Amino acid sequence: MRDLTHPNLALYLPLWKRDGASFPSEDAHGILCTVTGASLGALDGNRGRLFGASDDKIDISTDPIGILAATCVATISLRGWGAAGSGRILDNGQFRFFVYQTNTSLGFDSNGSNISTCATGSISLNRTYRVVITRTADGTGNFYINGTLNGLSNRTTGTPAAGTAALTLGNNAIAARNFDGVISGLAVYTNLVWSALDVVVDYQEYRKNRR
């Protein structure tokens, strides 16, 4: 992960080394995270928290995203597509970042209704991906998979709306959209939209230090 000392780093969770039922985020904010299920595990060589049961999730006590411009970075491996074929990576009721079985792709939106997806067929089961989404303050979004822009650029994800539920990793707040697989790391930068070059550099560093 690059820029771990960046002042815009709002949330950093290196789940590959975080055990226990609760822990603080490893950033300047120390946000309390509370785990339900989601024990340490591995898939396709990707070690992190293994989600799969319907109520598996990590509740994040403070939502740093809100309506801000943001960059979200995660390393994921899918065993399945999760509940309703749209297992959540991150969800606050409005900002929803998820895998999407219908298109075998990723999806996200900024207001709970304007879903945008990346290219059909871009995600497969039992493989590991470094995924990045960026969102401007007006809701213009981009998807990147393994260092490369995926799908059309500058997608419409809706005008960002404040979260209506607790920020949750690997599910939604009411435990109805569980992820099925491993999430080994997550970072969120706010008021910072990575460029394509930023994404390439991050992916190169991830490949060099992959766990």
Side-chain angles (χ1 to χ4, degrees), residues 3 39 93 146 158 200:
D3 294 336
S39 59
N146 292 344
V200 168

Side-chain angles (χ1 to χ4, degrees), residues 1-4 12-13 16 46 72-77 89 97 106 123 127-133 143-148 150 184-187 189 194 198-207 209-211:
M1 185 71 66
R2 68 188 310 247
D3 294 336
L4 292 181
Y12 176 49
L13 301 177
W16 49 270
N46 183 32
C72 182
V73 188
T75 305
I76 63 171
S77 305
I89 299 170
F97 180 24
L106 300 171
I123 296 290
R127 293 187 60 187
T128 299
Y129 299 93
R130 182 73 159 184
V131 296
V132 178
I133 56 172
F143 295 88
Y144 300 86
I145 298 177
N146 292 344
T148 302
N150 188 280
S184 64
L186 177 95
Y189 297 83
W194 276 7
D198 290 324
V199 175
V200 168
V201 171
D202 172 77
Y203 184 62
Q204 290 172 340
E205 293 184 2
Y206 158 73
R207 287 286 302 273
N209 300 302
R210 182 179 175 187
R211 299 180 184 278

Side-chain angles (χ1 to χ4, degrees), residues 59-75:
D59 292 306
I60 301 167
S61 61
T62 299
D63 179 5
I65 300 173
I67 63 172
L68 301 176
T71 296
C72 182
V73 188
T75 305

Side-chain angles (χ1 to χ4, degrees), residues 99-158:
V99 297
Y100 192 48
Q101 183 177 15
T102 300
N103 289 358
T104 56
S105 66
L106 300 171
F108 89 97
D109 64 346
S110 295
N111 60 7
S113 60
N114 286 85
I115 294 172
S116 183
T117 61
C118 61
T120 297
S122 56
I123 296 290
S124 301
L125 301 183
N126 301 306
R127 293 187 60 187
T128 299
Y129 299 93
R130 182 73 159 184
V131 296
V132 178
I133 56 172
T134 63
R135 181 187 78 181
T136 65
D138 68 0
T140 301
N142 284 306
F143 295 88
Y144 300 86
I145 298 177
N146 292 344
T148 302
L149 179 71
N150 188 280
L152 298 175
S153 61
N154 301 324
R155 312 298 293 270
T156 299
T157 71

